[in-house]
Amino acid sequence: MEIRKFSSALLLMGALVVVSSVSCSDDDDSIVDDENFKEEYFAKAINPYIDNTVRATYKGMADAAVSLAKSCDAMYQAFVDGELTSAMVEEAGNYWKESRKYWEWSEAFLYGAAADYNIDPHIDSWPLDKNAMDQLLANIRAGQNWSVENLGEGLLGFHAVEYLLFELDATENNSLVHNLNYTEEELLYLSAVANDLCAQCVLLEVSWTGVENVSSEKQAILEEAELEPSMNYGDNMKSAANAGSLYKTKQAAAEDIVQGCIDIADEVANTKIGRPVLGATEEDKNYIESPYSLNSIVDFVGNIISIENAYCGSNSGDASISDFIAEVDAELDAEVKALISESKAAIEAIPEPFAKSASTQVAADAQEKVNELRDILEEVMEAVVANY
């Protein structure tokens, strides 16, 4: 990529390096080269990225997942006691939405633990295999033995829990009801799957934060589930360029951050929105994320927020990849931020249920806008790896 605009500070730095190269001997280690310049920028960005974006996001997700599991357990016990209420179902649904929000905010960093431990497909395979789910529930009602360990990924995770907690109003498909048409066996299944989801969410948090840095309750959840991360991914990225890190340079860590943004932008544009929009087959038309909770649009926007947080920082004033891009190409940085905002707005313009609006022009426009964001993020990657 041709870097379109250098800051005066960089031009001055380049001039100083040239002068120093003429006046100093070849073995003078005091010369600040362009590699060190990049490493210094990325070093500043990594710590807040880990602490304020990755770790904070996974903590929010795990906290809500713990509450979700407890709510589902309470639903089962209340049913047995003859005291189950719609308010209890609604409460569990709200915890599902909260945990789900943080999960979507995390999808710009699906590398690391989410990939290494196969957590992503375990908790977020979609669309739900509705026919298999209906057959499973029928078998459970008939007394068939089952266990979470023997269920396929399409019958676990967020979307299995979603299917059992949310129900569309039979007379109005853009509103939800909280009916109590459960059997005891179904609520046992719901409780088991919610607790399995909880354990996986806690595993994500612990994998990036360290087991010693989470509550004793979460430590017990992992122990009971016999889950234990093999490394602290957050500390590993923070130690990039040091012995023992998976990252030989700070730039390598920055490349992972940007690639994570590219990957989720492409998935939102061309899978989450794109497959139903194009609708070449019936399977494509039904390839819809979170349809039972009417949460599809919230999911998509959450993914753009994950890009925004990874690129700009989650908190005001956080050092970020954006700082580096603004220094080497201010126009590019401005374009990225504009397309993040425009992508969120374009997605938010799509009405729920997405199953009915996917064929509209507004959905196609949103797909195009997010593809523009993906393309500009490819330019960001070129800037990250470029020589200056």
Side-chain angles (χ1 to χ4, degrees):
M1 181 192 78
E2 179 184 358
I3 304 301
R4 289 169 290 189
K5 183 179 179 181
F6 288 93
S7 73
S8 58
L10 272 182
L11 291 173
L12 177 58
M13 180 178 290
L16 289 174
V17 170
V18 171
V19 171
S20 298
S21 299
V22 172
S23 60
C24 300
S25 62
D26 290 340
D27 60 354
D28 187 344
D29 293 333
S30 66
I31 298 174
V32 179
D33 58 24
D34 47 353
E35 180 180 343
N36 285 336
F37 154 73
K38 293 169 72 176
E39 289 291 279
E40 289 169 6
Y41 258 96
F42 297 143
K44 292 176 183 177
I46 289 172
N47 278 17
Y49 169 75
I50 294 297
D51 292 335
N52 301 337
T53 296
V54 179
R55 287 175 171 169
T57 300
Y58 281 146
K59 181 182 186 303
M61 179 178 68
D63 287 350
V66 170
S67 296
L68 170 61
K70 290 178 179 177
S71 288
C72 292
D73 291 344
M75 283 176 59
Y76 169 74
Q77 189 58 53
F79 181 92
V80 171
D81 296 338
E83 299 174 351
L84 182 64
T85 66
S86 295
M88 297 177 72
V89 182
E90 184 175 8
E91 178 185 63
N94 288 338
Y95 284 128
W96 181 92
K97 289 183 178 181
E98 182 74 1
S99 188
R100 182 75 185 166
K101 175 187 74 175
Y102 284 109
W103 168 251
E104 296 301 329
W105 287 8
S106 80
E107 290 207 293
F109 36 95
L110 286 179
Y111 53 85
D116 292 349
Y117 303 137
N118 212 39
I119 297 172
D120 180 18
H122 188 121
I123 69 174
D124 196 34
S125 287
W126 57 274
L128 180 78
D129 189 339
K130 185 178 182 303
N131 291 334
M133 174 61 78
D134 288 340
Q135 185 59 58
L136 172 66
L137 294 176
N139 293 341
I140 289 174
R141 286 191 292 270
Q144 178 176 304
N145 291 330
W146 62 276
S147 68
V148 168
E149 290 76 17
N150 294 328
L151 296 177
E153 290 171 345
L155 299 173
L156 291 169
F158 277 109
H159 299 298
V161 175
E162 175 196 14
Y163 188 64
L164 284 165
L165 285 180
F166 297 94
E167 188 174 348
L168 295 180
D169 190 319
T171 61
E172 183 63 48
N173 64 9
N174 61 353
S175 63
L176 299 169
V177 292
H178 301 284
N179 290 325
L180 303 177
N181 50 341
Y182 294 102
T183 67
E184 181 176 347
E185 294 80 11
E186 288 172 346
L187 288 173
L188 270 174
Y189 169 78
L190 172 63
S191 175
V193 174
N195 277 277
D196 177 72
L197 170 63
C198 171
Q200 295 293 317
C201 291
V202 171
L203 177 59
L204 272 172
E205 180 189 0
V206 170
S207 296
W208 282 88
T209 302
V211 67
E212 69 282 1
N213 296 315
V214 302
S215 67
S216 58
E217 179 183 28
K218 289 177 178 175
Q219 292 177 27
I221 288 170
L222 280 195
E223 184 176 353
E224 183 176 350
E226 298 182 348
L227 296 172
E228 183 178 356
S230 60
M231 63 180 290
N232 184 320
Y233 286 82
D235 285 355
N236 187 275
M237 181 177 275
K238 282 186 174 184
S239 65
N242 295 318
S245 176
L246 297 173
Y247 298 96
K248 292 183 178 180
T249 63
K250 305 290 186 183
Q251 177 182 313
E255 289 175 25
D256 255 7
I257 295 171
V258 176
Q259 188 61 52
C261 294
I262 294 170
D263 291 344
I264 192 57
D266 183 70
E267 182 178 349
V268 171
N270 300 307
T271 301
K272 295 188 176 192
I273 298 176
R275 279 192 67 173
V277 164
L278 295 174
T281 67
E282 197 62 30
E283 180 182 0
D284 290 329
K285 293 176 182 178
N286 294 322
Y287 205 83
I288 295 173
E289 189 175 33
S290 302
Y292 307 106
S293 56
L294 296 177
N295 212 61
S296 304
I297 305 306
V298 172
D299 280 4
F300 306 158
V301 173
N303 288 160
I304 306 304
I305 291 172
S306 75
I307 293 171
E308 183 174 36
N309 291 343
Y311 179 75
C312 299
S314 294
N315 297 338
S316 177
D318 281 354
S320 65
I321 300 297
S322 170
D323 294 337
F324 171 76
I325 300 301
E327 184 70 8
V328 300
D329 190 339
E331 182 181 344
L332 175 59
D333 180 64
E335 289 181 15
V336 174
K337 291 174 178 175
L339 280 169
I340 287 172
S341 296
E342 291 167 12
S343 294
K344 286 191 290 185
I347 294 169
E348 287 169 344
I350 306 171
E352 287 280 16
F354 184 57
K356 290 195 171 184
S357 60
S359 59
T360 63
Q361 185 60 46
V362 69
D365 291 344
Q367 180 194 18
E368 181 179 356
K369 185 59 66 176
V370 180
N371 267 325
E372 291 178 27
L373 174 59
R374 178 207 58 194
D375 291 346
I376 204 74
L377 288 167
E378 294 277 9
E379 293 191 40
V380 169
M381 179 66 86
E382 292 178 23
V384 166
V385 302
N387 293 319
Y388 297 99

